[in-house]
């Protein structure tokens, strides 16, 4: 019988690279602000709180309002 000359290496536990908070914080703030703007346009861009005149944004976001359960009419 042939014997293997290779011995298996001992198993080591993998380590997870740690990300500093300073690297994550700008991206978290950017995406948080982006989500708030999107929430505004889907949920509140009509009527008295409208930032843009006309009903264009309302019509573009109309199906999104119904999908997310926002009342619009």
């Amino acid at each position: 019988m042939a014997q293997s000359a290779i011995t298996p290496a001992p198993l080591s536990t993998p380590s997870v690279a740690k990300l500093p908070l300073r690297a994550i914080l700008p991206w978290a703030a950017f995406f948080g602000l982006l989500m708030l703007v999107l929430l505004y346009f889907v949920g509140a861009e009509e009527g008295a709180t409208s930032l843009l005149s006309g009903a264009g944004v309302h019509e573009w976001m109309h199906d999104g309002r119904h999908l997310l359960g926002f009342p619009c009419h």
Side-chain angles (χ1 to χ4, degrees):
M1 244 197 224
Q3 293 183 356
S4 176
I6 300 173
T7 58
L11 296 176
S12 62
T13 58
S15 63
V16 178
K18 297 184 186 218
L19 292 174
L21 184 60
R22 289 183 183 210
I24 297 172
L25 193 58
W27 288 103
F30 171 72
F31 283 114
L33 183 62
L34 187 66
M35 290 298 114
L36 285 175
V37 168
L38 184 64
L39 181 66
Y40 169 77
F41 277 112
V42 171
E45 176 59 32
E46 66 177 324
T49 62
S50 179
L51 293 177
L52 304 171
S53 63
V57 175
H58 175 82
E59 293 304 320
W60 278 98
M61 298 292 172
H62 191 86
D63 293 337
R65 282 190 172 104
H66 288 295
L67 182 67
L68 295 173
F70 283 96
C72 63
H73 56 87

